[in-house]
Every structure is written in structure tokens, then in C-alpha cells.
Amino acid sequence: LPRSYSLSLHLHLQFLLLDGGEAPECSTGILAHGIMNCSISGEVPEEPVVSKKSGLLFEKRLIERHISEYGKCPITGEPLSMDDIVPIKTGKIVKPRPVQAASIPGMLGMFQIEWDGLMLSNFALEQQLHTARQELSHALYQHDAACRVIARLKKERDEARSLLAQAERQIPLSVPTATSVNASALSNGKRGAADEDMGTDGKKIRLGISASIIAELTDCNAALSQQRKKRQIPPTLAPIDAVERYTQLFSYPLHKTSKPGILAVDILYSKDIIATGGADTSAVLFDRPSGEILSTLSGHSKKVTSIKFVDQGDLVVTGSADKTVRLWQASENGNYDCRHILKDHTAEVQAVTIHATNNYFVTASLDNTWCFYDISSGLCLTQVEDASGSGGYTSAAFHPDGLILGTGTSEALVKIWDVKSQANVARFDGHIGGVTAISFSENGYFLATAAHDGVKLWDLRKLRNFRTFTPYDENTPTQSEEFERSRMRDRDVQCAFLFPSIIFVPW
């Protein structure tokens, strides 16, 4: 018999022995057709094996690999293991010659096909090589360009450092020396706060308020003084009887209830936005018409004691009991990002007040100093300390014209400062307890201060107290007060705040 038939007969006899004398149908089919090809490759196997379950013939190396990867029969999909595979013993198998190799024309056709495949493969490799060369050339060009850019930036950096060093050497010649009765206690310096250099007295060296800044403050004072003289009483001013009928319309829980308490409030009237600082260490910007929270400013580690809008609300300044001041910048998505963290105070920051130019602001702290800052750079230009040691500052406010600063202390003193010279030009006493709030009237002639004993009004022209309000009992301190913003020339209305109550006091 031919070898394929003898192999089929041998396989058939093995199945008879394994299955009790009855050959499976698949082996019969193999024997009948005389086909001994692998069920996977379709070629005559060199090491034939057969499956006990399906009776299919496989090449041993192929079925072993398939079982190790999948664990099932590649044809029927049934679970299959190496124990289910039976090897078949055969003589050496000579693979039949393909039909194409039986003649010279067939062999030439095979050679032509192999040559064509080789040429196509070579062409593909040449294309890949060309693409790789282009990518390499582009990468080398980018590397060279990057090296040139880095070299240029380093050169510009070195030039900027050189110009900065030259400017620092020239600054002491252009900064005037401040003349003040408290000059020995001032920390004005000759260099930027970023240098963090310390003077011989152990204090940080400051730039000081330069002549150009003083000129800017003076021009602002002149312009605002002229405008104040032209102000008229607005026709929409509410009469006293209407104010007496004010009732609460809404109540909004803006801060965490775990640490309740709103310690600071500011209103951006042009956009009807309210800013609050809470005991929960966060500040909240609230849109009153819609009743929605616009942004929550988180970053302080202790209670927020003061909050102020700058100009149209693109900037917000907050002071905290964690001894820091933060400047928040409005972003395109409506949130506010922390732009500067100022750490010039060594005790709780109690007050923040914005200058009328919207270019500068002042902070007051319990460390008995107040700082004058440039908003754009976040630099502390000067830090002023009162040598008299009258306790830390608990409140501060700019005069409407911007050249006078009022501060209140924890020892019931009210101090008036000349911003240009940082000199303490006046002081008022008479309060009981720390001065919790201070504000100037719109006409610029009067000053209101609040403390544990109520609210006092001071005449800045005569430097005396001419009226005192005690809206609450002796055990209830007044936490905040502010003049009504009607911009009246001859009369102002004062608001005294004791959260959660508000009292309007005409005088």
C-alpha cells in the first residue's frame, strides 16, 4: 500500500485497541480518503499525533503550542490537554514534491514569484529607510533650533541679571529718606522685598515709598478733592422712615457650619457682588441677584479677618489670622487664583484697606506694624512700626482722598498717619477695648470708630470727639461700622454692624 494508506491503517488499528475494537468515524474517513494531513497546517505532519476526543490529526509541535496557549481543540473548540493527545508511530515521511516543481516551466514560475516578492520587500524597506532619514533630519533640525533658543534665553537672562544688579546699585541714590518722628522705628529700605536682606537692626530692608509714588498719591488726592466738592445728594437716597422699615429679605449660608461666623464683608457695588471672609479659613464671592456662589477662595490656614475688592473686582485681597495676606486674580473660567502670598507680618493680620488709585494697599497686624504694598508686584514697599508700643493694630482705613491713613489699636487708641512721610500726625483716645473698625466719611471731614463701648465720631478738623453712639448694652461690642455710600456733602448716615443685626444711625 502507499505510505499514506499504511499510516491510516496503522491509526485505525490503534483506535481499535483504545476504544475496544471500534474505530471512530474520523479515522475511518481518513482511511477511506487516504488523507494524512495536519488539521492545522494542512500539510503532511512529520510527528503526527491524534486527539482522543475528536480523532483529528495534528502536527505535534503545532498542537502542543496551541494547547499551552488556549487549552482547547483548534477545530472543535472542546477543552483539550496533552493527556488527550496520542502520538502515532510512522516511518520517515517524504514530503511529496509540489506540482509546480515537477517541470522546468513550473520551477521558473516559482522562481519568478519569489523574485517578485523579494523586489517588493526591498522596495518597502527602501521607503522605510527614506522615511527614517527624513524623521532623523527633522529631529536634528529641531535639536539645533532648541539649542539656539536656549543660548539666546541664557544670554537675555544674563543681561537682565546685569541690569537688575545695576538698578539695585542705583536705587539708594533715588529713594528719599523718610522724615518722621517715628523714623527710628520704620523699616524703610533701599532694596526690593524679594531680596529678603536684613538690616543692622535685624529688620527686612524695604524699597520705601519713592518720589514717583508720592507724586501719584498727591495727584490722586487733588483729583478726588475736586470731585468731592461737586458731589450732589442722589435723588434715590432713602429717607429715614424708609430705612426704619427695612426687614430681612434673604439669608444665605455661605460658609461651613462646622466653624460658623462671617468676620469680614465687602461689596462690589458696580456688579452687585458680596465678598465674605469666614472663620472656616475661606473667603466666598457671592452674586446677590442670582443668589449663587461665584467662587470660594481657599488657601488660608486660619480664619479670614479681612477681605477687600480691588477696582472692578478682578483682584481680591484677603488677610488672615495665619499672619499672611493673599492676592487673588480672577481667571477666565470665573474662579480666582492665588497670585501672591505675602508673609511680612509676624502676627495676625487684622485689616486690609485699598488705596483710591487701586495700585496700592495697606495691611495692619497685631505685630504693631502696618505695611504699604504695591498691588502689581506684591512687594512691601515699607513696613511702619510705632515706637510708642501702643499695642497691635486691629483696624485700618484710607481717607477718601488717599493721603491719610487711620488705624485702630488693641489698646483703644486711634492713630492718624501721613502716608507720604509715614508720620503719626494725630491720635485719639477714649474708647474702651480694642478698636474693631474705622471708616472716614465721604466728605472727608469726619471719622467713625467702633469698639466695645460703641461708636464714636471724630471731627478731623478740630481733632475731637463730638458724638458717641451706644446702640447695644455694655456686654455687646460693636464689631463693624461704615458710613453710608450716598456721597453726601453736608450729611452722612452711619451704619453700625453687630452680626447678625444692622443699625442705621442718622446724625
Side-chain angles (χ1 to χ4, degrees), residues 439-459:
S439 65
F440 291 90
S441 64
E442 282 293 320
N443 59 19
Y445 299 147
F446 304 105
L447 173 69
T449 58
H452 189 280
D453 57 346
V455 179
K456 290 182 180 293
L457 296 179
W458 309 85
D459 190 331

PDB file of all heavy atoms in Angstrom, residues 439-459:
ATOM      1  N   SER A 439     -13.644 104.072  59.837  1.00  0.00           N
ATOM      2  CA  SER A 439     -14.018 104.496  58.479  1.00  0.00           C
ATOM      3  C   SER A 439     -14.141 106.012  58.431  1.00  0.00           C
ATOM      4  O   SER A 439     -14.476 106.655  59.439  1.00  0.00           O
ATOM      5  CB  SER A 439     -15.341 103.849  58.045  1.00  0.00           C
ATOM      6  OG  SER A 439     -16.402 104.302  58.852  1.00  0.00           O
ATOM      7  N   PHE A 440     -13.848 106.571  57.244  1.00  0.00           N
ATOM      8  CA  PHE A 440     -13.934 108.014  57.019  1.00  0.00           C
ATOM      9  C   PHE A 440     -15.223 108.336  56.279  1.00  0.00           C
ATOM     10  O   PHE A 440     -15.700 107.544  55.452  1.00  0.00           O
ATOM     11  CB  PHE A 440     -12.735 108.490  56.199  1.00  0.00           C
ATOM     12  CG  PHE A 440     -11.428 108.422  56.933  1.00  0.00           C
ATOM     13  CD1 PHE A 440     -10.650 107.269  56.881  1.00  0.00           C
ATOM     14  CD2 PHE A 440     -10.969 109.497  57.678  1.00  0.00           C
ATOM     15  CE1 PHE A 440      -9.439 107.192  57.546  1.00  0.00           C
ATOM     16  CE2 PHE A 440      -9.757 109.427  58.352  1.00  0.00           C
ATOM     17  CZ  PHE A 440      -8.991 108.273  58.291  1.00  0.00           C
ATOM     18  N   SER A 441     -15.773 109.510  56.540  1.00  0.00           N
ATOM     19  CA  SER A 441     -16.970 109.947  55.822  1.00  0.00           C
ATOM     20  C   SER A 441     -16.598 110.336  54.399  1.00  0.00           C
ATOM     21  O   SER A 441     -15.437 110.633  54.098  1.00  0.00           O
ATOM     22  CB  SER A 441     -17.614 111.130  56.541  1.00  0.00           C
ATOM     23  OG  SER A 441     -16.736 112.243  56.538  1.00  0.00           O
ATOM     24  N   GLU A 442     -17.603 110.358  53.529  1.00  0.00           N
ATOM     25  CA  GLU A 442     -17.362 110.679  52.122  1.00  0.00           C
ATOM     26  C   GLU A 442     -16.903 112.117  51.935  1.00  0.00           C
ATOM     27  O   GLU A 442     -16.172 112.418  50.990  1.00  0.00           O
ATOM     28  CB  GLU A 442     -18.626 110.426  51.303  1.00  0.00           C
ATOM     29  CG  GLU A 442     -18.879 108.967  50.998  1.00  0.00           C
ATOM     30  CD  GLU A 442     -17.839 108.386  50.068  1.00  0.00           C
ATOM     31  OE1 GLU A 442     -17.443 109.074  49.124  1.00  0.00           O
ATOM     32  OE2 GLU A 442     -17.400 107.255  50.298  1.00  0.00           O
ATOM     33  N   ASN A 443     -17.310 113.035  52.815  1.00  0.00           N
ATOM     34  CA  ASN A 443     -16.852 114.415  52.654  1.00  0.00           C
ATOM     35  C   ASN A 443     -15.437 114.616  53.183  1.00  0.00           C
ATOM     36  O   ASN A 443     -14.846 115.670  53.017  1.00  0.00           O
ATOM     37  CB  ASN A 443     -17.812 115.383  53.344  1.00  0.00           C
ATOM     38  CG  ASN A 443     -17.953 115.115  54.833  1.00  0.00           C
ATOM     39  OD1 ASN A 443     -17.113 114.462  55.441  1.00  0.00           O
ATOM     40  ND2 ASN A 443     -19.027 115.618  55.421  1.00  0.00           N
ATOM     41  N   GLY A 444     -14.896 113.593  53.859  1.00  0.00           N
ATOM     42  CA  GLY A 444     -13.509 113.651  54.293  1.00  0.00           C
ATOM     43  C   GLY A 444     -13.271 114.392  55.586  1.00  0.00           C
ATOM     44  O   GLY A 444     -12.127 114.507  56.025  1.00  0.00           O
ATOM     45  N   TYR A 445     -14.339 114.891  56.262  1.00  0.00           N
ATOM     46  CA  TYR A 445     -14.165 115.696  57.459  1.00  0.00           C
ATOM     47  C   TYR A 445     -14.286 114.895  58.756  1.00  0.00           C
ATOM     48  O   TYR A 445     -13.839 115.359  59.802  1.00  0.00           O
ATOM     49  CB  TYR A 445     -15.193 116.829  57.500  1.00  0.00           C
ATOM     50  CG  TYR A 445     -15.086 117.796  56.336  1.00  0.00           C
ATOM     51  CD1 TYR A 445     -16.205 118.418  55.809  1.00  0.00           C
ATOM     52  CD2 TYR A 445     -13.843 118.091  55.765  1.00  0.00           C
ATOM     53  CE1 TYR A 445     -16.110 119.304  54.747  1.00  0.00           C
ATOM     54  CE2 TYR A 445     -13.733 118.970  54.702  1.00  0.00           C
ATOM     55  CZ  TYR A 445     -14.875 119.574  54.197  1.00  0.00           C
ATOM     56  OH  TYR A 445     -14.761 120.432  53.150  1.00  0.00           O
ATOM     57  N   PHE A 446     -14.915 113.726  58.682  1.00  0.00           N
ATOM     58  CA  PHE A 446     -15.248 113.016  59.913  1.00  0.00           C
ATOM     59  C   PHE A 446     -14.700 111.586  59.876  1.00  0.00           C
ATOM     60  O   PHE A 446     -14.473 111.004  58.814  1.00  0.00           O
ATOM     61  CB  PHE A 446     -16.768 112.973  60.119  1.00  0.00           C
ATOM     62  CG  PHE A 446     -17.393 114.348  60.115  1.00  0.00           C
ATOM     63  CD1 PHE A 446     -18.120 114.791  59.012  1.00  0.00           C
ATOM     64  CD2 PHE A 446     -17.242 115.194  61.196  1.00  0.00           C
ATOM     65  CE1 PHE A 446     -18.682 116.050  58.994  1.00  0.00           C
ATOM     66  CE2 PHE A 446     -17.810 116.457  61.180  1.00  0.00           C
ATOM     67  CZ  PHE A 446     -18.532 116.898  60.087  1.00  0.00           C
ATOM     68  N   LEU A 447     -14.525 111.057  61.066  1.00  0.00           N
ATOM     69  CA  LEU A 447     -14.015 109.706  61.247  1.00  0.00           C
ATOM     70  C   LEU A 447     -14.910 108.980  62.237  1.00  0.00           C
ATOM     71  O   LEU A 447     -15.283 109.547  63.277  1.00  0.00           O
ATOM     72  CB  LEU A 447     -12.574 109.744  61.786  1.00  0.00           C
ATOM     73  CG  LEU A 447     -11.940 108.406  62.197  1.00  0.00           C
ATOM     74  CD1 LEU A 447     -11.695 107.549  60.974  1.00  0.00           C
ATOM     75  CD2 LEU A 447     -10.639 108.644  62.963  1.00  0.00           C
ATOM     76  N   ALA A 448     -15.273 107.745  61.920  1.00  0.00           N
ATOM     77  CA  ALA A 448     -16.073 106.910  62.815  1.00  0.00           C
ATOM     78  C   ALA A 448     -15.250 105.716  63.253  1.00  0.00           C
ATOM     79  O   ALA A 448     -14.584 105.070  62.434  1.00  0.00           O
ATOM     80  CB  ALA A 448     -17.356 106.444  62.127  1.00  0.00           C
ATOM     81  N   THR A 449     -15.282 105.424  64.541  1.00  0.00           N
ATOM     82  CA  THR A 449     -14.551 104.276  65.082  1.00  0.00           C
ATOM     83  C   THR A 449     -15.485 103.469  65.970  1.00  0.00           C
ATOM     84  O   THR A 449     -16.381 104.026  66.619  1.00  0.00           O
ATOM     85  CB  THR A 449     -13.330 104.731  65.897  1.00  0.00           C
ATOM     86  OG1 THR A 449     -13.765 105.599  66.953  1.00  0.00           O
ATOM     87  CG2 THR A 449     -12.322 105.452  65.014  1.00  0.00           C
ATOM     88  N   ALA A 450     -15.276 102.152  65.994  1.00  0.00           N
ATOM     89  CA  ALA A 450     -16.120 101.257  66.790  1.00  0.00           C
ATOM     90  C   ALA A 450     -15.239 100.471  67.745  1.00  0.00           C
ATOM     91  O   ALA A 450     -14.099 100.123  67.427  1.00  0.00           O
ATOM     92  CB  ALA A 450     -16.895 100.301  65.884  1.00  0.00           C
ATOM     93  N   ALA A 451     -15.785 100.206  68.934  1.00  0.00           N
ATOM     94  CA  ALA A 451     -15.077  99.424  69.946  1.00  0.00           C
ATOM     95  C   ALA A 451     -16.111  98.769  70.849  1.00  0.00           C
ATOM     96  O   ALA A 451     -17.317  98.750  70.543  1.00  0.00           O
ATOM     97  CB  ALA A 451     -14.109 100.290  70.738  1.00  0.00           C
ATOM     98  N   HIS A 452     -15.669  98.248  71.966  1.00  0.00           N
ATOM     99  CA  HIS A 452     -16.558  97.557  72.892  1.00  0.00           C
ATOM    100  C   HIS A 452     -17.619  98.495  73.466  1.00  0.00           C
ATOM    101  O   HIS A 452     -18.740  98.065  73.774  1.00  0.00           O
ATOM    102  CB  HIS A 452     -15.729  96.942  74.022  1.00  0.00           C
ATOM    103  CG  HIS A 452     -16.514  96.024  74.907  1.00  0.00           C
ATOM    104  ND1 HIS A 452     -17.339  96.479  75.915  1.00  0.00           N
ATOM    105  CD2 HIS A 452     -16.609  94.670  74.918  1.00  0.00           C
ATOM    106  CE1 HIS A 452     -17.907  95.441  76.518  1.00  0.00           C
ATOM    107  NE2 HIS A 452     -17.479  94.330  75.927  1.00  0.00           N
ATOM    108  N   ASP A 453     -17.280  99.770  73.599  1.00  0.00           N
ATOM    109  CA  ASP A 453     -18.210 100.730  74.199  1.00  0.00           C
ATOM    110  C   ASP A 453     -19.108 101.416  73.183  1.00  0.00           C
ATOM    111  O   ASP A 453     -19.816 102.367  73.530  1.00  0.00           O
ATOM    112  CB  ASP A 453     -17.438 101.781  74.996  1.00  0.00           C
ATOM    113  CG  ASP A 453     -16.409 102.503  74.137  1.00  0.00           C
ATOM    114  OD1 ASP A 453     -16.129 102.015  73.028  1.00  0.00           O
ATOM    115  OD2 ASP A 453     -15.890 103.537  74.570  1.00  0.00           O
ATOM    116  N   GLY A 454     -19.087 101.024  71.921  1.00  0.00           N
ATOM    117  CA  GLY A 454     -19.973 101.606  70.923  1.00  0.00           C
ATOM    118  C   GLY A 454     -19.211 102.287  69.806  1.00  0.00           C
ATOM    119  O   GLY A 454     -18.087 101.910  69.464  1.00  0.00           O
ATOM    120  N   VAL A 455     -19.827 103.335  69.212  1.00  0.00           N
ATOM    121  CA  VAL A 455     -19.271 104.044  68.057  1.00  0.00           C
ATOM    122  C   VAL A 455     -19.040 105.497  68.424  1.00  0.00           C
ATOM    123  O   VAL A 455     -19.907 106.144  69.019  1.00  0.00           O
ATOM    124  CB  VAL A 455     -20.218 103.953  66.843  1.00  0.00           C
ATOM    125  CG1 VAL A 455     -19.638 104.704  65.654  1.00  0.00           C
ATOM    126  CG2 VAL A 455     -20.472 102.502  66.480  1.00  0.00           C
ATOM    127  N   LYS A 456     -17.860 106.007  68.064  1.00  0.00           N
ATOM    128  CA  LYS A 456     -17.525 107.414  68.304  1.00  0.00           C
ATOM    129  C   LYS A 456     -17.273 108.114  66.974  1.00  0.00           C
ATOM    130  O   LYS A 456     -16.691 107.533  66.045  1.00  0.00           O
ATOM    131  CB  LYS A 456     -16.278 107.533  69.189  1.00  0.00           C
ATOM    132  CG  LYS A 456     -16.496 107.095  70.637  1.00  0.00           C
ATOM    133  CD  LYS A 456     -15.228 107.298  71.457  1.00  0.00           C
ATOM    134  CE  LYS A 456     -15.444 106.871  72.910  1.00  0.00           C
ATOM    135  NZ  LYS A 456     -16.404 107.759  73.614  1.00  0.00           N
ATOM    136  N   LEU A 457     -17.711 109.382  66.891  1.00  0.00           N
ATOM    137  CA  LEU A 457     -17.485 110.223  65.727  1.00  0.00           C
ATOM    138  C   LEU A 457     -16.471 111.292  66.089  1.00  0.00           C
ATOM    139  O   LEU A 457     -16.572 111.930  67.148  1.00  0.00           O
ATOM    140  CB  LEU A 457     -18.789 110.867  65.258  1.00  0.00           C
ATOM    141  CG  LEU A 457     -19.881 109.908  64.754  1.00  0.00           C
ATOM    142  CD1 LEU A 457     -21.118 110.687  64.349  1.00  0.00           C
ATOM    143  CD2 LEU A 457     -19.374 109.090  63.592  1.00  0.00           C
ATOM    144  N   TRP A 458     -15.500 111.475  65.186  1.00  0.00           N
ATOM    145  CA  TRP A 458     -14.412 112.417  65.426  1.00  0.00           C
ATOM    146  C   TRP A 458     -14.385 113.455  64.309  1.00  0.00           C
ATOM    147  O   TRP A 458     -14.545 113.125  63.126  1.00  0.00           O
ATOM    148  CB  TRP A 458     -13.067 111.686  65.461  1.00  0.00           C
ATOM    149  CG  TRP A 458     -13.042 110.508  66.384  1.00  0.00           C
ATOM    150  CD1 TRP A 458     -13.446 109.248  66.103  1.00  0.00           C
ATOM    151  CD2 TRP A 458     -12.613 110.490  67.745  1.00  0.00           C
ATOM    152  NE1 TRP A 458     -13.293 108.421  67.179  1.00  0.00           N
ATOM    153  CE2 TRP A 458     -12.775 109.158  68.221  1.00  0.00           C
ATOM    154  CE3 TRP A 458     -12.091 111.445  68.626  1.00  0.00           C
ATOM    155  CZ2 TRP A 458     -12.436 108.769  69.506  1.00  0.00           C
ATOM    156  CZ3 TRP A 458     -11.746 111.055  69.911  1.00  0.00           C
ATOM    157  CH2 TRP A 458     -11.925 109.744  70.357  1.00  0.00           C
ATOM    158  N   ASP A 459     -14.159 114.713  64.686  1.00  0.00           N
ATOM    159  CA  ASP A 459     -14.007 115.805  63.725  1.00  0.00           C
ATOM    160  C   ASP A 459     -12.519 115.943  63.421  1.00  0.00           C
ATOM    161  O   ASP A 459     -11.721 116.299  64.312  1.00  0.00           O
ATOM    162  CB  ASP A 459     -14.559 117.107  64.310  1.00  0.00           C
ATOM    163  CG  ASP A 459     -14.648 118.209  63.264  1.00  0.00           C
ATOM    164  OD1 ASP A 459     -13.837 118.191  62.312  1.00  0.00           O
ATOM    165  OD2 ASP A 459     -15.521 119.080  63.395  1.00  0.00           O
TER     166      ASP A 459
END
